[in-house]
Amino acid sequence: MPPVTATLIWILVGLFAIGLYLSWTAGRLDRLHARIDAARAALDAQLLRRASVAQELATAGVLDPAASIVLYEAAHAARQAEEEQREVAESELSQALRAVFGEQQQVEVVREAPGGEEAANELAQAVRRVPMARRFHNDSVRAARALRRHRKVRWFRLAGHAPFPMAFEMDDEPPVALADRPTT
């Protein structure tokens, strides 16, 4: 075999290996973007569930009128917020929940109402699941961002036209009285 042919074969093998590696990297990036989409859907579901439960409690008549108004307005704002204002609205709902359920006494008032035990458990579960869902989403975003920062991804445009992933930053600290509450 002439040396030119051997060199050409090695170049083709090298190009094939590079193409295979780039294809694998693009597939990995695509899977990360799909994971971000799934995590965002789960986060949206948990945020909606938390706002819905808070709104139900605010209209149930078991809280004092001032607490009901604060909680209802924050939950309504969180449900109706545009995407650009969503993080702020969800943070305000977290603050309202901490203000209303900052003390165990308020949780006990809800528990003593008819159907209150179930409502208190549902709210406790909702406020605990939001931070977990947000953490999963932000971990996925962090992994995709790390991969997208590599030169090979930028130079070969392996991300395609996918938007740059953004983390969801909000105040998601649950009220102490609900966070410590065991659920059944």
Side-chain angles (χ1 to χ4, degrees):
M1 186 177 331
V4 174
T5 307
T7 304
L8 189 58
I9 289 174
W10 280 112
I11 289 172
L12 290 174
V13 167
L15 288 175
F16 178 76
I18 290 170
L20 193 61
Y21 177 71
L22 290 175
S23 174
W24 175 81
T25 302
R28 181 172 167 225
L29 190 57
D30 186 52
R31 288 188 301 276
L32 282 171
H33 281 128
R35 194 168 95 188
I36 289 170
D37 291 342
R40 181 58 189 246
L43 175 61
D44 287 342
Q46 292 304 322
L47 291 171
L48 181 63
R49 180 172 181 244
R50 180 181 76 153
S52 297
V53 172
Q55 216 168 12
E56 285 178 26
L57 271 175
T59 58
V62 295
L63 302 173
D64 63 85
S68 292
I69 290 171
V70 167
L71 194 57
Y72 181 83
E73 286 180 355
H76 181 71
R79 290 183 73 175
Q80 300 299 318
E82 296 293 326
E83 193 60 36
E84 300 82 33
Q85 298 299 317
R86 183 98 186 263
E87 293 172 351
V88 172
E90 294 295 347
S91 293
E92 289 173 356
L93 177 56
S94 294
Q95 293 165 2
L97 284 166
R98 281 197 306 271
V100 172
F101 295 105
E103 299 176 7
Q104 188 64 35
Q105 166 188 347
Q106 192 71 353
V107 176
E108 295 304 320
V109 168
V110 171
R111 283 182 59 213
E112 291 169 2
E117 183 69 33
E118 182 180 313
N121 284 341
E122 192 173 348
L123 184 61
Q125 287 176 356
V127 299
R128 274 197 295 252
R129 288 180 179 167
V130 166
M132 287 187 292
R134 189 176 74 86
R135 197 170 311 120
F136 288 139
H137 175 266
N138 288 350
D139 286 348
S140 299
V141 167
R142 202 171 0 270
R145 282 180 166 186
L147 184 58
R148 286 182 73 150
R149 277 194 294 270
H150 289 132
R151 282 188 207 124
K152 66 181 175 258
V153 173
R154 291 191 320 261
W155 289 350
F156 293 102
R157 300 175 191 251
L158 299 181
H161 296 288
F164 194 74
M166 300 302 288
F168 194 87
E169 298 300 334
M170 66 172 270
D171 173 6
D172 61 3
E173 184 180 336
V176 176
L178 288 173
D180 296 339
R181 180 169 175 65
T183 57
T184 53

